[in-house]
Amino acid sequence: MHSIEIVLAMLLAVAASGFLVRVLPFSLPLPLVQIGLGAVISMFNHGVELDPELFFLLFLPPLLFLDGWRIPKQGLFRDRTVILELALGLVVFTVVGAGFLIHWMIPAMPVAVAFALAAILSPTDPVALSAISSRVPIPKRLMHILEGESLLNDASGLVCFQFAVAAALTGAFSLADASLTFLWVALAGLGCGIGVTWAINVLQRWIMRHFGEEAGSSILVSLLTPFAAYVVAEAVSASGILAAVSAGITMSYVELSGRAAASVRIQRTAVWDMVQFTLNGIVFTLLGEQLPGIVRNAIRSIDETGHLQPWWLAIYVAAISLGLILLRLIWVWVSLGLNLLRDRARGVERTSPNWRIIVATSLAGVRGAITLAGVLTLPLAMGDGSPFPARDLAIFLAAAVILVSLLIASVALPPLLKNLQLPEEQEDQQEEDLARKAAARAALVAVESERQRLVASAEAVEDQELYGACAERVSQLYQRHVDRLGGEADIAPAQARRIEQVERQMRQAGLRAERAELFRLARERKISEEVSRKLVRNLDLLETRQR
């Protein structure tokens, strides 16, 4: 198959997966269906030459950018301590624990290579997590913590991976160099994402102010922003992944300015939803397409482990997967206990979460695209030209652990979290009520101001009466006294059109005021960004329909 045919086949497989997951007589997670379709494609193709660097560039920036854009920031900052413990401490703990476990099981795999494999298995994947979250009843706050962890632990995992590979090639390792490199990779990556996004939006605002806004161009710029942040970060040897994440987070704050038109926001949301579904699907379809070749190479290299039977590969995968879960469980349990003790020392009483939440946090450590693309960057040869030890075996183990983690999370989490009684959180509803009331009050003031402006410019008394009646009708809509006034049957067609035009004008004024008030409340952190986004979208849809 030619390259264009493979791309079209994968796009068709992604489209078909959305239907198959609904019509299959048994429930299967969408990523597993897409992996299966990828394996089917591999039967008609000798294998796609997957360039890991190209894979990182094409697929990860937009997906991570969108996750950073949409993740609730209040939850991210509220649970920052827990998220950083998982994104940094757990990664190092996993690298050490899993690295020694892998080398103990497979003595033929050098320690440095075992640590490299453990390092690339340590970061969880936001793409894989978002792919299964729609079918798994994960509590909202836990989901926010897992999303924050998966967005931030890539840099720490990849830095550990790079230094483990360097140690395998040179036989040397420097903790000081590794620490300094990590600081540069992380901080410079975050700075690149923030700087690029800010610069693009400043330029875009200048162009809009002088030449107007075109929806297609604005949406295209938003699609190109994560790629720009990624490329700039990689050019200065920083983390392109963190740059894409920070670009998305920065974009969410830029969005609070409310400068984008309602029609642009609606079209942009539809485009980004399509991009997210397509790229998510292609990532897992590619994994399925690569899987048969990975298995064949691993079976050929089984003699490197000192065993002759291929079923030993299944034992290795099961042991590594179980080890990762246990290491995560230990870290979560110990970290939670220390946080509770620290809070009690400060006089803050907190109840320990249900044991099922702790187990769910351990099982939700899903691996995905970053692990696959990272392990494929293992060098083909050592410095002296000899083959890199156990490379094919390491790639197989990483791919198999991805599948197992997806399967465990998809199968075990629903029954584990079913009927779990959690404390009711009234914050979202209270914030929404506050936002609706404040927006309605702002709209009433804006409608009255619009009425006064129109009355002042009116020449005929009939127009003044018309403006007053229309303002009263719109105000009543906002106050929810009545849905609509009757008595329009006897109005002349021309007068009815005039009434409709004035009412639409006043509704537009009210909607603009509501939206401005919502953005103000979000900027001042009186409501969450999640509530603000939901209500602004409703207003955008109303405005678009009225236009």
Side-chain angles (χ1 to χ4, degrees):
M1 295 176 70
H2 297 293
S3 298
I4 188 64
E5 294 173 340
I6 295 173
V7 171
L8 292 176
M10 288 187 176
L11 290 174
L12 180 60
V14 172
S17 66
F19 296 101
L20 285 176
V21 78
R22 289 170 173 80
V23 302
L24 288 174
F26 46 88
S27 179
L28 269 181
L30 181 61
L32 293 181
V33 173
Q34 292 165 342
I35 290 171
L37 291 175
V40 172
I41 293 175
S42 69
M43 298 169 59
F44 304 94
N45 182 56
H46 295 299
V48 177
E49 286 293 331
L50 186 59
D51 183 348
E53 293 184 2
L54 184 62
F55 181 89
F56 271 117
L57 175 62
L58 291 181
F59 293 96
L60 295 186
L63 292 173
L64 295 173
F65 175 83
L66 188 60
D67 284 334
W69 189 349
R70 293 181 174 178
I71 187 174
K73 308 307 178 298
Q74 286 185 336
L76 186 66
F77 292 119
R78 177 190 59 198
D79 297 314
R80 59 187 178 277
T81 302
V82 177
I83 291 173
L84 288 175
E85 288 173 352
L86 294 172
L88 299 178
L90 178 57
V91 166
V92 176
F93 184 64
T94 301
V95 171
V96 174
F100 281 118
L101 171 65
I102 294 170
H103 179 64
W104 174 76
M105 284 193 309
I106 314 173
M109 182 177 287
V111 176
V113 178
F115 271 73
L117 177 57
I120 205 60
L121 289 173
S122 61
T124 55
D125 191 82
V127 177
L129 182 63
S130 62
I132 67 170
S133 61
S134 60
R135 299 176 61 86
V136 177
I138 301 177
K140 183 183 295 186
R141 186 167 184 179
L142 175 59
M143 189 64 191
H144 293 168
I145 292 173
L146 294 173
E147 287 175 338
E149 174 203 4
S150 62
L151 288 173
L152 299 178
N153 63 8
D154 302 323
S156 52
L158 288 174
V159 167
C160 292
F161 174 74
Q162 291 169 359
F163 273 91
V165 172
L169 292 173
T170 65
F173 172 75
S174 171
L175 181 60
D177 290 345
S179 301
L180 290 175
T181 300
F182 173 75
L183 288 176
W184 170 256
V185 164
L187 297 180
L190 293 172
C192 288
I194 295 170
V196 168
T197 306
W198 177 82
I200 288 175
N201 279 276
V202 168
L203 178 61
Q204 196 172 17
R205 284 202 306 270
W206 184 85
I207 294 174
M208 288 168 52
R209 191 164 54 248
H210 289 82
F211 305 103
E213 182 179 21
E214 203 283 319
S217 297
S218 179
I219 295 170
L220 182 58
V221 168
S222 75
L223 291 172
L224 293 176
T225 297
F227 296 104
Y230 184 94
V231 169
V232 169
E234 290 294 317
V236 297
S237 301
S239 172
I241 290 175
L242 280 183
V245 172
S246 62
I249 294 175
T250 305
M251 189 66 183
S252 69
Y253 287 108
V254 171
E255 188 72 6
L256 293 179
S257 66
R259 292 187 179 92
S263 59
V264 172
R265 278 194 296 270
I266 291 173
Q267 294 176 53
R268 187 178 59 195
T269 298
V271 170
W272 271 106
D273 286 343
M274 184 272 295
V275 169
Q276 183 182 38
F277 176 78
T278 303
L279 294 185
N280 268 335
I282 289 180
V283 164
F284 292 109
T285 305
L286 268 174
L287 172 57
E289 198 278 338
Q290 296 282 303
L291 200 57
I294 291 173
V295 172
R296 287 192 297 268
N297 292 337
I299 291 176
R300 282 199 299 266
S301 65
I302 189 65
D303 58 336
E304 296 180 14
T305 67
H307 300 288
L308 299 178
Q309 300 299 325
W311 52 263
W312 275 97
L313 295 174
I315 295 177
Y316 296 150
V317 172
I320 293 172
S321 300
L322 180 60
L324 292 173
I325 292 173
L326 291 177
L327 289 170
R328 189 175 176 87
L329 178 63
I330 293 170
W331 181 269
V332 170
W333 182 71
V334 173
S335 176
L336 175 64
L338 293 176
N339 287 332
L340 289 175
L341 289 175
R342 185 175 56 205
D343 288 340
R344 287 169 185 168
R346 296 174 179 173
V348 179
E349 287 296 328
R350 286 177 54 193
T351 58
S352 179
N354 190 295
W355 66 269
R356 286 196 280 172
I357 292 292
I358 298 175
V359 176
T361 306
S362 305
L363 297 179
V366 184
R367 275 71 186 178
I370 291 173
T371 294
L372 176 64
V375 77
L376 288 173
T377 62
L378 284 172
L380 294 172
M382 301 289 287
D384 58 3
S386 60
F388 191 85
R391 182 181 187 271
D392 291 334
L393 180 60
I395 292 174
F396 167 78
L397 293 175
V401 168
I402 293 172
L403 290 175
V404 172
S405 67
L406 279 169
L407 191 60
I408 289 176
S410 302
V411 173
L413 286 179
L416 180 65
L417 297 174
K418 185 178 182 181
N419 299 325
L420 178 64
Q421 297 297 325
L422 297 172
E424 294 186 2
E425 296 184 8
Q426 300 295 332
E427 291 184 4
D428 287 349
Q429 188 58 49
Q430 291 173 356
E431 288 181 359
E432 188 169 328
D433 292 342
L434 168 66
R436 289 185 185 278
K437 291 177 183 178
R441 285 195 293 266
L444 288 170
V445 172
V447 169
E448 177 60 21
S449 298
E450 185 72 7
R451 183 194 68 81
Q452 293 177 4
R453 187 186 68 80
L454 292 173
V455 168
S457 62
E459 298 179 355
V461 175
E462 292 81 3
D463 286 342
Q464 295 180 0
E465 294 176 350
L466 175 66
Y467 297 148
C470 292
E472 178 65 21
R473 290 162 65 92
V474 175
S475 297
Q476 287 181 353
L477 286 173
Y478 278 111
Q479 294 170 347
R480 299 179 181 272
H481 290 162
V482 293
D483 294 331
R484 189 174 181 86
L485 291 177
E488 295 182 358
D490 298 330
I491 300 177
Q495 182 70 356
R497 286 194 296 271
R498 178 68 172 151
I499 289 174
E500 181 181 4
Q501 178 184 357
V502 175
E503 285 187 355
R504 185 185 302 114
Q505 187 175 354
M506 291 187 172
R507 287 196 189 100
Q508 295 292 336
L511 289 171
R512 287 193 297 270
E514 279 191 273
R515 192 159 42 235
E517 181 67 7
L518 292 173
F519 283 127
R520 183 189 69 80
L521 292 171
R523 286 194 301 270
E524 296 175 2
R525 297 188 178 181
K526 293 182 179 179
I527 62 173
S528 69
E529 187 182 353
E530 195 172 15
V531 170
S532 169
R533 185 183 296 118
K534 170 186 174 183
L535 298 181
V536 167
R537 176 168 172 76
N538 290 339
L539 296 177
D540 291 345
L541 291 171
L542 283 173
E543 181 176 338
T544 304
R545 185 180 66 182
Q546 290 178 11
R547 287 186 184 278

